[in-house]
Amino acid sequence: MTGDILTLNCGSSSVKFAVFDAAHPKAAARITGKIAGIGRAPVFTARDTEGPLETPGPLNELTTAHTHEDLIARLLDWLAQHHGDQPLLMVGHRVVHGGKSYTAPTRITQTVLSDLDALSPLAPLHQPHNLAAIRAVSARQPNLPQAACFDTAFHRTQDRTETLFALPRDLSDEGIIRYGFHGLSYAYIASVLPDHLGTSANGRVIVAHLGNGASMCAMRQRKSVATSMGFTALDGLVMGRRCGTLDPGVILYLMQSKGMTAAQVETLLYRKSGLLGVSGISNSMQDLEASNAPQAREAIDLFVARAARTLAGMIPAISGLDAVVFTAGIGENSAPVRAAICAQLDWLGLQLDPKANARGDVKISAQTSAVDVLVLPTNEEAVIASACRTLLAT
Ligand code: AMP
């Protein structure tokens, strides 16, 4: 199989991409890059295995007027002009929601696309952008095969009880269930756990994906048993801009007593809450850690307390705890947040090695700790590329 696989991870204001050699499953991406600041001040950056790449041509001088579609078309041109030594065999996309039907990576067809369109209201922050990327590639290169890789798919191993809300059965049967997200990240961590934990990798592990979006997944045998996100990516932990777990009565109050519309509530819960809403300063943990404002401290404290409580609450689902893994922007980079979460879990016999934590070592638990604690960078792109290799071979 001589050729490249392009992975696209399209968010509301960014497009992340990576180019992998289809013939070398173990090799890291040949090129990785990002268009950030879409709609504000788009900036394109890319690097190969040697270092940053020059970006002449179609990706220079981007403006606020450029849509995701324009930018993806330019990205395809840039790749063809400067890095097209091998043919592109497939484009693999991160697609946040696969609903009940899509439980594995799937080649894109018109039917698949319209099924996924119907799921957009369940992930309004992500799904429309994921699907726009698929359409942008089709418009530019209609014959190029594309695949969708779903964040929900990893959690389909859960028992029915874990997926149910205590709602009338007809609503569950209709699909109002807990789906869970960040599955590509969890699949990657599950794939590398044996390298770091040996046989304990198949034990009782909780992975904390703490980024702008944040969730946790409790695994046994490296499969999802429970997760903190639910029907939508709003549930669970405090996030950059999302509220996480909320008494549903608050939503009724906002609508009935404050006269807010559904659209206003959606904006409030998805874009104005979380770290940003509580601090009134920023959605970024790094900004809050740099601030002396008491509101910033309060937002971090809430983030930490919810994370520790959620982690502890998942332990019964896997009957104990052998290891905790921190990943994503905050999990990989914030030693203070990791330390604060672990401090609230010391009653489990979980102890950090403060120096290893400050250095960001892979293993940050003390020798005497009853629970291993690891920091592992996630790599959703590698999971998408691997799924594309499998689809290309079948
Ligand atoms: P992600 O969505 O995985 O890119 O993660 C974004 C989050 O990671 C933001 O809240 C960032 O502020 C946070 N982050 C990135 N680097 C650091 C750092 N060095 N210290 C604290 N938080 C960080």
Side-chain angles (χ1 to χ4, degrees), residues 59-217:
L59 282 155
N60 265 346
E61 294 167 18
L62 300 178
T63 71
T64 48
H66 287 119
T67 61
H68 285 72
E69 287 80 353
D70 298 332
L71 293 167
I72 287 170
R74 282 164 184 256
L75 174 64
L76 291 172
D77 287 348
W78 178 80
L79 284 169
Q81 280 170 25
H82 300 281
H83 303 281
D85 316 340
Q86 303 201 98
L88 203 51
L89 300 179
M90 184 174 260
V91 181
H93 298 260
R94 174 185 179 204
V95 174
V96 165
H97 218 303
K100 268 189 156 174
S101 312
Y102 291 97
T103 58
T106 304
R107 280 182 185 256
I108 299 289
T109 61
Q110 267 317 319
T111 312
V112 170
L113 204 49
S114 55
D115 288 349
L116 299 180
D117 262 333
L119 296 168
S120 284
L122 305 189
L125 220 56
H126 298 97
Q127 191 92 340
H129 298 295
N130 305 156
L131 303 185
I134 294 172
R135 292 199 165 91
V137 173
S138 297
R140 198 68 171 189
Q141 296 197 33
N143 297 322
L144 183 59
Q146 298 191 70
C149 301
F150 303 101
D151 265 326
T152 44
F154 186 75
H155 302 294
R156 298 283 65 80
T157 50
Q158 292 180 4
D159 281 351
R160 178 172 154 85
T161 319
E162 272 303 329
T163 69
L164 286 180
F165 294 113
L167 289 171
R169 315 186 64 82
D170 53 336
L171 293 177
S172 311
D173 294 345
E174 197 179 290
I176 304 182
I177 57 167
R178 302 175 58 82
Y179 290 96
F181 298 88
H182 290 136
L184 299 175
S185 174
Y186 294 129
Y188 178 77
I189 299 293
S191 75
V192 297
L193 274 181
D195 301 342
H196 304 286
L197 290 176
T199 49
S200 312
N202 288 328
R204 305 157 299 178
V205 180
I206 295 183
V207 182
H209 176 110
L210 307 180
N212 238 327
S215 71
M216 289 184 180
C217 178

Side-chain angles (χ1 to χ4, degrees), residues 208 210 216 304-305 307-308 311 321 324-326 334-353 357 364-365 369 371-375:
L210 307 180
M216 289 184 180
V304 166
L311 197 152
L321 188 62
V324 172
V325 178
F326 287 100
S334 175
V337 167
R338 292 193 300 259
I341 294 171
C342 291
Q344 295 194 20
L345 298 166
D346 62 354
W347 51 273
L348 288 167
L350 185 158
Q351 294 164 349
L352 281 196
D353 171 341
N357 184 41
I364 60 170
S365 45
S369 178
V371 178
D372 283 326
V373 185
L374 305 181
V375 179

